Amino acid sequence: MQFDLLIEARWIIPVEPADTVLENHSVAIDKGRIVAILQQSEGKFRFAPRETRQLHDHVLIPGLVNLHTHAAMSLLRGLADDLPLDAWLREHIWPAEAKHVSPQFVHDGTLLACAEMLRGGITCFNDMYFFPQATVKAARELGIRAVVGLIALDFPTAYAADADDYLARGLAVRDEFRDSPLLGFCLAPHAPYTVGDRTFEKVLTLSEQCDIPIHLHLHETRKEIEDSVKLFGVRPIERLRRLGLLGPGLIGVHAVHLEDHEMQLLAQHGCSVVHCPSSNLKLASGIAPIEPMTRRGLNIGLGTDSAASNNRLDILQEMRLASLLAKGSSGRADAVGAHRALRMATLNGARALALDKEIGSIEAGKSADLCAIKINDSLLAPCYDQASLLAYSAGREHVSDVWVAGKACVSNGSLLHCSMIELKNLAALWQNRIRS
């Protein structure tokens, strides 16, 4: 049988079945999809690949899913560090965005972000930002899978005049690119403190009509909750419940400050949560109660947030931090183990985006979104458990190869389809503009 690509890996962690490590197996790929996972000895006799990639010192895993980004904000990395969220946003980030955000800003910042994510093994990102058409353009240039947020706010920006304008512009982008194989869309009302009831009601209607998820910030800070009680008489999750937004299509980002009944409510409605541990810590928002959320069956994925609040787009780092924080805050060393952390970084993120039948695990029939991590570095030795090594020792510098839908985007550690020198020059150009 002839097909496109055979990847022979020393180890494969397919994520599904859970807690599985395959040794000396191959993944057969044709027309961008996984045809089979089989022992290497069998693959050499059964198939006639056009190309064979041998990964003798590697662990092959599903491509990582970054479930929450503002990709274009890579151009604001380090602009106003060491500030709490409210001051950071209102006094620095929002004024900078008001002055500089444009389609070119979004394209260039997203290009920089996509390059960083691919080099760190991220094959899919879920974005929320202005000028989504520019996000689409950058993602397509680098060949990464993107779920593009159709942002909505109740105040004007350079992108749109009001909530209706935001939604109309976003839907126009979705209509233009809805058949693109590597693109998906989310409705992205920014947060309960920037979006009114009328806009939320419209978002819910559009979500049901278009069958696309809703992606928003939720219970990130105590101030957000206190303000909601003052303005609406209830906490944000209860407000969303009364508006009918809680459901399997809701992706709540951060979820740092939750009471027991709120965790139960999110779980009962099949909502997903995005855990952004680095951003939460850096902005002093708090530590999300991941262990009790996990016990209640909540689907939890991992996100980096923006490079302005992290300051890395590095899901391998988020895996390690998520696991350690869950252990430390719960007093249970088994709270989030290595395999669970990897599942949060892959299949759980895919599930939140309703893409779990397409990506998130290495299974026959799924898209070949894959990441290879080279582990023969002496700094990683010895290796007794490959999943533990990925969760606690390896970093994005060990990512060697990345494929999206079977097409190579990173090879032997080098980014394809884009010059790193050009990206550096682009970043320097924007730095000079913004700093001035």
Side-chain angles (χ1 to χ4, degrees), residues 126-169:
N126 180 34
D127 202 53
M128 177 194 289
Y129 210 62
F130 310 104
F131 299 103
Q133 192 164 14
T135 302
V136 167
K137 183 174 183 289
R140 295 178 82 183
E141 285 176 34
L142 288 189
I144 193 170
R145 190 180 298 274
V147 178
V148 180
L150 312 180
I151 194 167
L153 295 162
D154 274 355
F155 56 82
T157 64
Y159 171 54
D162 54 30
D164 291 341
D165 193 21
Y166 283 102
L167 293 172
R169 289 172 182 268

Side-chain angles (χ1 to χ4, degrees), residues 203-380:
V203 165
L204 177 61
T205 299
L206 290 171
S207 173
E208 292 171 343
Q209 289 175 345
C210 301
D211 192 26
I212 56 176
I214 299 171
H215 168 211
L216 81 166
H217 301 89
L218 188 62
H219 282 229
E220 183 175 2
T221 65
R222 288 190 177 90
K223 185 178 186 305
E224 168 196 342
I225 296 168
E226 291 166 359
D227 289 347
S228 177
V229 172
K230 290 176 184 176
L231 288 171
F232 302 101
V234 293
R235 291 160 64 94
I237 286 177
E238 174 60 19
R239 180 177 160 222
L240 295 185
R241 186 196 69 80
R242 295 181 183 184
L243 291 169
L245 269 79
L246 299 189
L250 185 73
I251 304 169
V253 183
H254 299 296
V256 173
H257 303 283
L258 297 179
E259 296 179 347
D260 287 345
H261 76 278
E262 291 169 331
M263 297 183 219
Q264 194 63 37
L265 196 61
L266 292 173
Q268 287 173 351
H269 284 84
C271 304
S272 293
V273 164
V274 190
H275 185 29
C276 303
S278 293
S279 180
N280 293 342
L281 291 174
K282 183 165 179 281
L283 294 171
S285 298
I287 298 172
I290 295 304
E291 192 273 338
M293 281 196 273
T294 300
R295 274 193 285 108
R296 286 167 173 80
L298 262 164
N299 182 55
I300 305 168
L302 296 178
T304 59
D305 212 341
S306 76
S309 66
N310 186 304
N311 297 15
R312 295 159 63 104
L313 305 180
D314 184 352
I315 288 295
L316 285 172
Q317 184 181 66
E318 302 306 317
M319 278 175 52
R320 183 174 192 272
L321 193 52
S323 179
L324 298 183
L325 283 175
K327 298 173 192 300
S329 61
S330 68
R332 287 185 48 199
D334 63 347
V336 174
H339 280 280
R340 183 179 290 277
L342 181 58
R343 194 178 190 90
M344 289 167 66
T346 54
L347 192 57
N348 285 9
R351 178 183 168 193
L353 297 169
L355 290 174
D356 49 317
K357 293 183 179 179
E358 181 74 6
I359 62 170
S361 59
I362 302 177
E363 298 181 76
K366 284 194 171 184
S367 180
D369 291 19
L370 304 167
C371 167
I373 299 174
K374 193 171 185 178
I375 64 169
N376 67 343
D377 191 326
S378 63
L379 295 176
L380 303 179

Side-chain angles (χ1 to χ4, degrees), residues 175-189:
D175 289 345
E176 182 178 356
F177 296 104
R178 63 187 303 173
D179 295 325
S180 298
L182 297 182
L183 291 178
F185 296 90
C186 272
L187 286 157

